[in-house]
Amino acid sequence: MKKIIALAMSAIILTAYLPAYSASSDFPHSFWAVDDKYQAAKNAGDYNNVIWYGKQSIDICLSMSDGNTKREVLTSRYDEIGNAYYELGDYDSSAEIYRTLYEYESTLGPEYAERAKIAYIKSTQYPSEMSVYTDSGDFTDYNAKNEKANGVLFGLCSNGETRSKLGNESMVLVYQELGQPLLPYNTNVVRQAGNDGIAVELALNCPNHAADIRRITSMDSYLDEISDMLSSYSNIPVYLRFAAEFDVWPEVPSPDEFKTAFRYVANYFKSHNQNVAMVWSPNQASNWNVNIDDYYPGDQYVDWVGISSYAKKYSSVGGDDEEQSLFFENGINSEPVVTIRDIVEKYGDRKPIMLSESGCGHHIMQNGRSAEDTTDFAIRRMREYLGYLPMVYPQVKLIAYFDHYVEGSGETNDFRLSNNTELQNEYLRLTKGARFIQDKYTNEAPLTYRQIHDGRHLGSTFLLSCYARKYGNETQQVTYYIDDKYVGMSKEIPFEVYVDGTDLAGDRTLKTIAHFADGTEMVQEYAINIADKGGSISVDVNGNGLDFDQQPVIYNNRTMVPMRKIFESLGADVSWDADTRAVSGTRGDRTVKIAIGDRKMYINHKEVLLDTAPIILGARTLVPVRAVAEGMGCNVDWNGAERLVDVTQRVFTWSDWDTSLPAEVDEDLFYIEKKEQYRTRTRTRDKEYYSLDYASALDNYIDTDISYGKWSSWQEDYISSGNSREVDTRTVSEPVTYTYYHYCTGYNDDESLSYRTAPRSFSDLCSYHVLGTFDYRLGEAEDGNGGKVLYDDDGSYFYCSNSCYRWYETVRGGSHTEYRSRSVSYKYNYWRWGDWSGWSGWSDWRDGTYNPSDWYSGNGDTDTGGESRTVYRYKEK
């Protein structure tokens, strides 16, 4: 995500603007006399006289009427004077000249716009500056979506190898290319972030640049996919950085195209995902003809303003010249306070700022291999990013680091922490600072800065730190004096010292001296007021008062005491690690480890987050007495009336035996013992019985009681039997009779109704008469006309004279089955044990004491049994 900016270098005029000219009536005679001396100084490289005569010629020109010649002379002279100051090392005067040139050229129309831009860049890069800070400042809080009131969220890109060593990150950066399938890897990153309680910066990049911007309104289905995934983890704060670094794309969309697309995406996610904050994020240096302000979508669509800020010693292999370094913001021009200043000043009055990507190039890469080691440069910039920015700009609330190198990308800088141990260790150390939110998004940072001005009130113990800059130089040391009394010195960014103001209460003068690599100094003085300490603080350990060579102080509402003295007074052996600036106190099997500037204290391996880290005061390391003493297993009480810290050693005793351990008890901080126990009891058989409506597979079954209901009436309809119903049947016989009918077809108009195909089945329209009822079945014969007739055994015939007839027979009587039923219910009877007698007391399990197989025995109506258990006890180490 690191771009090489496509500056239109041909448009940058780095030499004098004034073309050759000859004497003109537009200039008074006095101009030419000065100009001769000016030209001679210029040709001789005499920068002092270039400045002297250049200013005189400018004064003459300013009195002349406006015109093109006057404009060319003024713009060229300002530029050449500014360059002369630069060559003499007077960068502040150079900056003033270029500021004047910028303001003048800004009034001359569009043909001078590029010249004005050059002047502006120089006027912002060259000035020296210095500011001093103390602690206990107010929060800078805009109440923006997912904004923490105080502190800086920090973390790495999700595939950064250093994450395995970090352990205290509060956010993670992950990339998704617009239009490409949502990566399961990214979903897993978001899910794991939710498990870890950290925030997510989701970079939704536009791989097709302007083309993606123009088609975004037709990509709802894709936005749905992203939205649905984020909805599944609605507890996670998400910073959606859409179309970042648009200002350095090969094809930059128009401002209206970009703003329309960004607003569309913002409206979409604001309506679908309450946990998503929208981030608008340009690059730290834009393409030459791009003005990022034209691309700002508007406050209602932007929750956070981001910036990609990378420190590079050169923009390309082989190094840059000074002008390239200036315009690309590389090398000495990559100091982060300056490179992000425009963004902070333009938008930081109403929006929180994030470094949505950052990195410090520690190797120049050529063909995938290191061509130059720039680790020293990278470490310096790392300290400025993580030391200066959270102090100078309280608007900066998130810093993400790009711990990755994309093989084959052609990137000329390697920003990885994972392959540079020195830089990696510096990152791990710096991000433990008190301005960084540790471990979880929900945690807070304890430190806020205040810039010192005349009249500033300070506490009785206070922090001083300093930002000092001189162009082309490194600040090597900052020294602090109060009323000319030395109170501290630091050689490490941000040049922090802690001051004990016990003897300095009242109105004082703070003098701060910044020492630069070229041997020069910068001095600032402020009128301050230091609060009265309110009396000395005493510390008793087990009733014995302690004497300190550095008196205890109250800082950040915590009593701070010299670390070695308090450890030794608690009976601990003390060791010091100079590399990590960590002290360890060990007594018995308990070790407390704490480091300067690190809010994490370790009791054996248990991590404790402190609200106040150890500080250095008066050449002594001071630690928060309560945290350290409690970590060593002591009780700590504060007697405010006597300003006394009372530390008493706790006597650790074994807990009672129990079947479980409290959640906080582990083998790291506690001794743990366990043992087996057993007990017995007797039971008797209850002579009462109980019944169930169902059969149960119990060993104590006795018998079953069955009861029946009344029989129902007999019926011919079939009745089925079941578990709850008994069925009875009988056969009933009656005499059989046969009735015969003669059906006549009549004269039906519909011949199809005359006869049916089924035997002896006729239409309802047919007429009939009964031939007679018989107790036997009649046979059949045919008449002379071919029709069937009925006849009796004696040869009698029964038929009609009508030749159109059929006979029909019905049968009554014979044998059939009848059914009746009654209900059935079952009661299954069982016996049961009576209540247990009281248990015997628990006895410790010993070899040869009761085998489990011996515990249960039964004889008659009694039974005996037993059980065992594991019990534990614990004691603090």
Side-chain angles (χ1 to χ4, degrees), residues 298 424 477 598 664:
Q424 183 184 72
Q477 174 181 308
D598 189 348
E664 69 274 11

Side-chain angles (χ1 to χ4, degrees), residues 539-540 544-552 562 565-566 569:
V539 178
D540 284 359
N544 299 315
L546 300 184
D547 292 326
F548 299 100
D549 53 2
Q550 165 62 54
Q551 290 303 305
K565 186 72 174 181
I566 190 64
S569 69

Side-chain angles (χ1 to χ4, degrees), residues 406-462:
V406 182
E407 298 291 345
S409 65
E411 173 59 52
T412 57
N413 282 266
D414 189 352
F415 302 98
R416 283 174 294 182
L417 302 172
S418 52
N419 66 337
N420 190 315
T421 302
E422 191 176 359
L423 188 65
Q424 183 184 72
N425 289 339
E426 194 68 6
Y427 180 84
L428 297 176
R429 180 183 71 84
L430 291 168
T431 51
K432 293 177 181 177
R435 280 291 291 158
F436 292 97
I437 297 172
Q438 304 292 316
D439 298 321
K440 295 183 181 297
Y441 171 84
T442 53
N443 288 336
E444 301 290 339
L447 174 63
T448 55
Y449 287 103
R450 292 181 293 162
Q451 188 172 350
I452 292 182
H453 302 289
D454 283 340
R456 179 68 78 190
H457 286 257
L458 307 180
S460 60
T461 301
F462 52 90

Side-chain angles (χ1 to χ4, degrees), residues 361-372:
H362 54 84
H363 279 84
I364 306 300
M365 305 298 288
Q366 186 172 21
N367 298 325
R369 295 188 175 186
S370 175
E372 182 181 348

Side-chain angles (χ1 to χ4, degrees), residues 634-705:
C634 298
N635 292 320
V636 181
D637 293 314
W638 166 251
N639 186 329
E642 299 181 11
R643 296 179 66 79
L644 170 66
V645 179
D646 188 12
V647 181
T648 55
Q649 186 72 50
R650 284 191 291 143
V651 177
F652 298 134
T653 59
W654 287 102
S655 69
D656 294 333
W657 291 99
D658 202 346
T659 55
S660 62
L661 293 170
E664 69 274 11
V665 173
D666 57 32
E667 293 183 347
D668 190 31
L669 293 179
F670 293 85
Y671 301 111
I672 299 173
E673 291 184 353
K674 68 177 182 178
K675 63 181 180 180
E676 301 297 320
Q677 292 183 324
Y678 74 93
R679 63 179 181 175
T680 60
R681 62 183 176 180
T682 302
R683 62 182 177 180
T684 59
R685 182 171 299 191
D686 192 341
K687 297 303 182 182
E688 294 180 358
Y689 298 94
Y690 68 96
S691 299
L692 298 175
D693 293 333
Y694 55 90
S696 178
L698 299 175
D699 293 337
N700 55 343
Y701 169 76
I702 300 173
D703 56 23
T704 303
D705 295 329

Side-chain angles (χ1 to χ4, degrees), residues 11 45 48 120 129 134 204 221 247 280 340 377 430 434 438 444 449 569 581 617 662 667 684 690 849 856:
N48 286 306
Y120 176 79
E129 51 186 308
T134 187
L204 187 55
S221 60
D247 50 333
W280 176 74
I340 75 166
F377 165 84
L430 291 168
Q438 304 292 316
E444 301 290 339
Y449 287 103
S569 69
R581 304 197 305 172
L617 186 68
E667 293 183 347
T684 59
Y690 68 96
T849 304
Y856 292 98

Side-chain angles (χ1 to χ4, degrees), residues 31 34 38 53-62 73 77:
F31 172 82
V34 173
Y38 173 80
Y53 293 113
K55 287 184 176 181
Q56 292 183 39
S57 61
I58 286 175
D59 290 340
I60 296 171
C61 285
L62 289 174
V73 171
R77 292 296 157 89

